[in-house]
Amino acid sequence: MNIIERNFFRILRSGAFNDKEAIEPMSPFKWRRLLQVVEAQNIVATFAKGINNHENDPLLNIPTDITRIMPELIVHNEERKHAISNDDVRMNNFFLNRKLKNIIAKELKDEESSVETIDLLEIIVYNLSTILNRGLSLDGIMQLGEYLRRWGDKVDFVKLDNWLDSLHLRRMAQLQGSILMSVFGFEQDELPFVEHPDKEALRLAVKTITYQTKDTAEEWHFKQSRSGFVQNNTTVMRRNILRSIRYYRYAPLETVSSFFGNIGRSLSEIEE
């Protein structure tokens, strides 16, 4: 990792998990480049908290113009966020989504139901959907870590393992947990669903912050021109294909369903 990436993850670890590690001095240009990544990842509030935790660090030389605009950026960042709702927790594959809903409904009716285990499953599923539609979200990964640190002792990991196997999500869950280990300093015993840490986790996490702008699914894939012909956005299409290839081995059924689902939705939204 380069110095921007090292400082980026150190500040996030401090902001999300109060895990302090010395910050390396950077030029104003590199600090502004880091802030671009923070804005693109929609994690300004966590970044600001990390900076505050390091305010007495003698090597913290963040430019004053960045600290001056931080409150405004936090407000804008919070306006872009929304709480995870039931509508957000869904799978792209019709049969797996039906199985997910059945698992949740059955568990809620169980006399020994574990709400914490359902919540953890929903975070994993939500992160999966975000990864396949927009790219890896470090905010979602941090939410997973924060939930585990707060409620992990109440989670029934035997149930969770069975659900992950049933939904073909074990490898995707292990990837998310492996990112918590490789980037945010989690121990494997904090993540019982991670049997084999993924060696690609750090590379994928670093790769996702190399882009200055967030890769969003809201960009059009197809649209109808004035002459009536259908045009496709080759940049977005290529990006989605590469993303599908990258994550296919972690959730094959979901990846394929997500890819063709996005194309279908884009075609259905063509203006006549």
Side-chain angles (χ1 to χ4, degrees):
M1 289 190 288
N2 61 41
I3 188 172
I4 295 176
E5 294 161 351
R6 290 196 299 272
N7 277 344
F8 174 80
F9 288 125
R10 287 169 182 170
I11 294 169
L12 287 190
R13 284 175 64 173
S14 178
F17 306 110
N18 291 315
D19 185 357
K20 292 183 64 175
E21 185 177 354
I23 303 299
E24 300 176 64
M26 295 194 302
S27 67
F29 170 80
K30 288 182 178 178
W31 275 111
R32 293 185 183 96
R33 176 66 186 89
L34 188 153
L35 185 61
Q36 288 178 323
V37 177
V38 169
E39 288 187 275
Q41 278 285 320
N42 207 24
I43 47 178
V44 179
T46 304
F47 173 77
K49 184 179 178 182
I51 290 294
N52 288 336
N53 288 344
H54 285 272
E55 61 180 353
N56 295 322
D57 191 331
L59 298 180
L60 182 67
N61 65 335
I62 186 169
T64 55
D65 62 318
I66 291 181
T67 57
R68 192 181 305 118
I69 65 173
M70 198 67 68
E72 180 182 343
L73 292 177
I74 291 174
V75 171
H76 177 64
N77 177 249
E78 292 303 314
E79 289 175 348
R80 293 164 58 188
K81 288 180 177 292
H82 74 282
I84 299 177
S85 68
N86 290 335
D87 292 335
D88 295 319
V89 181
R90 64 178 308 279
M91 301 185 71
N92 294 283
N93 182 276
F94 173 80
F95 298 102
L96 291 181
N97 189 57
R98 184 168 64 181
K99 186 176 291 186
L100 170 66
K101 299 304 181 185
N102 287 338
I103 286 173
I104 294 174
K106 182 179 179 181
E107 180 65 15
L108 290 175
K109 293 178 181 178
D110 194 318
E111 292 182 357
E112 300 180 357
S113 65
S114 171
V115 175
E116 292 81 9
T117 310
I118 293 175
D119 288 342
L120 187 60
L121 176 66
E122 290 180 340
I123 294 173
I124 292 171
V125 171
Y126 177 75
N127 282 342
L128 164 65
S129 179
T130 302
I131 288 170
L132 295 182
N133 287 292
R134 299 180 178 87
L136 182 63
S137 167
L138 292 175
D139 182 53
I141 298 297
M142 288 187 291
Q143 286 186 48
L144 176 64
E146 289 168 350
Y147 193 87
L148 283 165
R149 286 272 171 92
R150 185 174 183 183
W151 301 107
D153 61 330
K154 297 183 180 299
V155 172
D156 186 332
F157 286 101
V158 174
K159 279 185 177 180
L160 182 67
D161 282 343
N162 291 332
W163 295 345
L164 292 176
D165 285 337
S166 179
L167 296 169
H168 304 283
L169 290 180
R170 177 167 293 280
R171 295 199 68 180
M172 177 55 72
Q174 291 198 145
L175 172 62
Q176 295 178 33
S178 297
I179 293 173
L180 286 172
M181 292 172 60
S182 62
V183 174
F184 295 107
F186 275 62
E187 300 293 335
Q188 190 168 359
D189 59 8
E190 296 181 89
L191 307 157
F193 56 88
V194 179
E195 296 180 2
H196 307 288
D198 195 297
K199 296 179 180 179
E200 291 292 297
L202 179 60
R203 185 185 68 83
L204 289 172
V206 171
K207 188 178 183 66
T208 197
I209 67 172
T210 59
Y211 300 99
Q212 292 186 14
T213 56
K214 183 178 283 187
D215 177 12
T216 64
E218 284 75 25
E219 297 175 274
W220 60 270
H221 297 77
F222 299 94
K223 72 176 182 180
Q224 192 171 36
S225 67
R226 293 182 178 179
S227 60
F229 293 101
V230 174
Q231 300 173 325
N232 72 302
N233 186 329
T234 56
T235 300
V236 174
M237 179 65 72
R238 182 171 62 252
R239 192 181 301 156
N240 286 340
I241 290 173
L242 290 175
R243 187 169 59 240
S244 295
I245 293 172
R246 185 179 306 134
Y247 294 108
Y248 176 80
R249 67 192 182 97
Y250 295 104
L253 290 175
E254 270 297 279
T255 302
V256 172
S257 298
S258 174
F259 179 75
F260 286 106
N262 284 336
I263 291 178
R265 283 190 292 274
S266 296
L267 287 172
S268 68
E269 292 170 1
I270 294 176
E271 295 182 2
E272 298 184 359

